[in-house]
Amino acid sequence: MDGGCAAPERRDGCQAFGAKLENTLPTVVKSTTVLLYNHSLLLMSTFTIEAVRLPHLQDHPLQVGLFKNVANAQFLRQQLLEGNAEYEYAFLDATVLISRAHVFAACFRAINDQLNNRLKTKNVHSEIVFDLSPNNNIAESFRRFGISDTTKHVVAIKVGGDAAQIRAFLEKNIEGEPAALSDESLRSLGDLARIRKIYRLEAPKKGQAELGLGQGAESFVLGSLALKGS
Amino acid sequence: MPASRLLPTPFHGSEEAFHMIAQGAEGVVYRTNFLSSNSSTSPSNDISGNAALKIRYPKPWRHPILDRRLTRQRILAEARVLVKLSRELRAPGDGISGAVPNVLGMSSEEGWLATEWIEGATVKAGIRGWEERQRVLREKAQRGDDVASEAQLEVLRALLRRIGAVVGRLHVCGIVHGDLTTSNMMVRACKPSPMGKAEAVASTSDDDKLEGEIVLLDFGLAQQSIADEDRAVDLYVLERAFGSTHPKVMEGRYSGQSAGAMFDEVLQAYAVATGKAGKITLRKLEDVRMRGRKKSMLG
Ligand SMILES: Nc1ncnc2c1ncn2[C@@H]1O[C@H](COP(=O)(O)OP(=O)(O)O)[C@@H](O)[C@H]1O
Ligand SMILES: [Mg+2]
């Protein structure tokens, strides 16, 4: 956050009728100045961790951040393997994420399943990783969507907790370049071939131009996540 | 927040607004926000929300275990079909918009389904609006009959053709809808441009509202089927629904044509969209009509 300013204004232009969620943003909860002034560390930083309040889940605010070119993925993964409680975050491989809606659909489902006492994994954070996967194989979901030793770009998500503490923690412990989590940033980092393989999406035929994933793909992926397991 | 007490987790106690849109025998549809709060607001009534949330409440008259199972099945069936169609029911030119609302979330256990909010009006409301405009025009002109201008009729015929085409494409996808009525389809308040991108329709005439893309809703009774019989029944249900909801249109009162001529627009476009298989379905429709007539004669 530059100089204690609130979350950056990134509303995308005007919305056409029937425009898709892809381009829309959840309520950006502006972090209070009080919090920032209490943490001189944050005043100096150029952080873009965003507080997100998903509709209907006002009691479960998220802190989300994107880190590019992360140097210590191996260390982060090790902390998860050891069950280090301090590192109870959803660390996601940003290159397999399609859009903010994709990420938030998994968050919504994980929190909802927690509220209804039916988590399939250890906690709500591992559940977010699991919920991104189109199938019920937990180990595979962690391999595909979680952090591996070679993960370069990481999306970190924390459900609940103290916003200032979480910001400070992420800044201190993720060795990467913080960036805004936006549809554009995810699009530019996305590994289309992997995303298509994971979700069994159509690839352009030989000789056809690469036009990106297209709207049908995102719709289908969100729908598949909602249907999973039922 | 109306009826918030009845909402299932996580909507119970939500701080979001819920606008009741429809209350049917099977459930309630609310307009609300889902996954994101950045939503368009309907210019006419200031109601906003980017999602349609369908909630099926427990029915006290049914056995609780049976009720839960039925609720689960209906929500799931609808979500499955919508997800399948979100990918398959797309015309080549379709850009950002599909012919069914996208699924945003679902929980069959708690009995809810969230889909993308479709900006626009139901076909029922659209045709009623058209009829109302004809009435006003007729009064102004002090005409005795109902016959509408050729331009006005063409707007309606084009709408019927788009309905026939989308039902045809639906059947080609291997799905029959099961409840094709004019409240279960909408006209998007958006015109697809040649570039495949949807453009907002800011200030257009009322007739333009009938020119948007058709979106099919309410797949709670949909089934996977490629049987001619099922397809023909789908068309028959649609024909009956048109006849009872918009009798003057279907009787040819505005066109001066014979009864049936208007619905033929639907069937012709259906035939184009379905090709060979469609011809068999249309022949089957004759049988189904026949049976329907016999049944209604017997009472
Ligand atoms: N995705 C949507 N976008 C806009 N309106 C919708 C949407 N889904 C439903 N509606 C409105 O709610 C009404 C009832 O929805 P429907 O799915 O047909 O449920 P029901 O089983 O109660 O008939 C529709 O006729 C339409 O007016
Ligand atoms: Mg309906």
Side-chain angles (χ1 to χ4, degrees), chain B residues 119-133:
Chain B
E119 207 63 65
T122 61
V123 168
K124 177 176 171 177
I127 295 182
R128 290 258 157 98
W130 184 93
E131 291 194 82
E132 176 58 19
R133 289 193 294 284

Side-chain angles (χ1 to χ4, degrees), chain B residues 237-256:
Chain B
V237 167
L238 180 62
E239 184 173 43
R240 295 296 297 256
F242 262 118
S244 61
T245 319
H246 314 285
K248 280 174 78 177
V249 174
M250 291 305 134
E251 284 161 14
R253 296 267 288 278
Y254 298 103
S255 61

Side-chain angles (χ1 to χ4, degrees), chain B residues 15 30 41 62 68 77 88 115 125 152 174 247 281 285:
Chain B
E15 286 174 5
Y30 299 98
T41 302
R62 269 201 311 238
R68 255 175 65 99
E88 295 173 19
T115 58
Q152 291 283 311
T281 304
L285 175 61

Side-chain angles (χ1 to χ4, degrees), chain B residues 133-143 152:
Chain B
R133 289 193 294 284
Q134 303 320 306
R135 195 185 61 75
V136 172
L137 286 174
R138 194 192 60 202
E139 270 173 14
K140 266 199 207 140
Q142 297 188 319
R143 272 204 330 261
Q152 291 283 311

Side-chain angles (χ1 to χ4, degrees), chain B residues 179 183-184 218:
Chain B
D179 192 15
S183 335
N184 287 340
D218 202 357

Side-chain angles (χ1 to χ4, degrees), chain B residues 206-245:
Chain B
D206 286 332
D207 281 340
D208 285 350
K209 286 185 187 152
L210 291 179
E211 283 172 10
E213 169 199 38
I214 305 292
V215 180
L216 299 174
L217 306 173
D218 202 357
F219 285 81
L221 294 172
Q223 277 184 305
Q224 209 133 12
S225 169
I226 52 164
D228 302 312
E229 169 77 18
D230 294 337
R231 290 174 170 176
V233 168
D234 233 11
L235 291 174
Y236 183 65
V237 167
L238 180 62
E239 184 173 43
R240 295 296 297 256
F242 262 118
S244 61
T245 319

Side-chain angles (χ1 to χ4, degrees), chain B residues 143-158:
Chain B
R143 272 204 330 261
D145 63 20
D146 284 314
V147 177
S149 75
E150 198 44 45
Q152 291 283 311
L153 282 168
E154 183 50 28
V155 169
L156 203 54
R157 289 194 182 112

